[in-house]
Amino acid sequence: MGGKYLAKRQSVPTWMIAACTTARESGDWRAACAVAGVEVLFDDAGPAADLLAGFAPDLLRWHLPRRPYGSPDPVPDNRYLLAPGGAVTADTTVLLVSTFRTGRLTLERMPFRDLPAGEILPVPAPLWDARSAAGLGAAPDPEAAVRSLDAEIRHWTEAGWAVTRRRHLDQIDTSWAAGQVRGLTGRLGVRPRPLASVGDRIRAWWSSTSVQRRGPVLTLHLGLLMQPVDRALVRLGHLTPAALHPLVRAALFPDAPDEPQVIDPAGRLTDEIARVRCRDAWHRIKLSRGRFEPLDHAGDLVESDGCRLAERAWDGGGGRVPRQIREYRRDLFRRIDEGGAWVLGQMLDAGLEPLLRDSEGRTLIHRLYQSGDPSMLHRLLTAGIRLDDRDRNGSTALAVALRQDWPYRYTVALIDAGAELPETRFLDGIDRMWGHADAKRAVAYLKRKNPQR
């Protein structure tokens, strides 16, 4: 169970919470989103101003369902609905958060009637709105009472739902969940039947008069309705209240002292000394701000030297990298991936080597999608990274973007910046691939700009 907390802390480090809180309390919701790795897909707050005033993206990240086996990343390919309190009509402005395989999130604004087709997971306000976070404390300690499954189902039926499958319902703190379900059904106009537990979801289909066929399907996720795991972790002694997200701690343990631990998001940019075996001796390597510098090697490096082999591997050329050096690089990229464009910008300001490559020889432009912000491309090009540098497999960033089906806006940013055009047969191969909708749109855009292709 402690692994769940470690995953949360990796995904929502203390520096992120501190910076998001500062931005939110100063009224800068866009800065808070940038810090938390949330890409905003609209220009201004508009009719969503009140929703955004309370939006705490770090709090939402803290509560989002995560991949199994202790992964810090939210489950990808989910869409979450953030709706205001009170009755929600077709004209009500709502927010839609989408998760992706890189761990990044996007934020959209739209009228309730324009929700896209497919499964959408409403999120109770205490899990994303700082103004409602105290409501999380309404969930009682599970040891306060022992409820039978029949008693739990009664809570659901009293909330207006017809329970058709009991599986997983015994995991829910029903006094908390029933109130959330009652609120969601009342405000969102979801028909109170049928309800079915399907895996970790409880599905609620809209009535045929509410939405056209193949419209959105509002789905209640058990992970967003269960007793907060944070309370159990504290009760079992795996952590102290001070280690929780401040808003969660204030709700669940209001008498606990506040002991923030803010860590520099720039990460390991201080000097570190590693050692490699070279010419029958141990040579020191200085690692500083993503740079590799041999300290003890006399004369020019040749390909067979241990220092040269380690340097080539550091630059993404393949080969074995000593463990200490490998961990140093992994830590740098982990912090970049967690913090996205906001942290990457801070690290570059602090002197990070912009030509740094990962173990596959990919540049920071190859990893533009992980930054969560297409506009970061200009900063990377200005820092001296070449747009068409190739990774260890010989692929440019544009080729990687098309092959991996990056979101359209990222691939178009590379095309507009003048990325080298792939071969025609490569583009035709993308067109024939199953799925890859964004990549196909980008190929069509590229061919419009270059009719000869």
Side-chain angles (χ1 to χ4, degrees), residues 42-112:
F42 50 91
D43 294 329
D44 56 71
D50 185 64
L51 280 176
L52 292 166
F55 180 42
D58 52 316
L59 181 64
L60 177 66
R61 270 194 176 276
W62 184 271
H63 290 295
L64 283 181
R66 286 179 170 75
R67 294 177 179 179
Y69 311 113
S71 170
D73 295 328
V75 176
D77 304 319
N78 275 348
R79 291 178 298 183
Y80 298 94
L81 174 65
L82 313 183
V88 175
T89 68
D91 295 325
T92 301
T93 298
V94 297
L95 299 174
L96 188 70
V97 174
S98 301
T99 59
F100 296 87
R101 62 182 181 273
T102 60
R104 318 313 303 162
L105 309 178
T106 60
L107 181 69
E108 299 176 77
R109 180 197 72 196
M110 65 191 65
F112 190 59

Side-chain angles (χ1 to χ4, degrees), residues 47 138 148 162 191 253 268 288 292 449 451:
S148 67
R191 189 173 62 176
F253 304 96
R268 295 169 64 174
S288 177
F292 182 103
K449 290 194 64 173

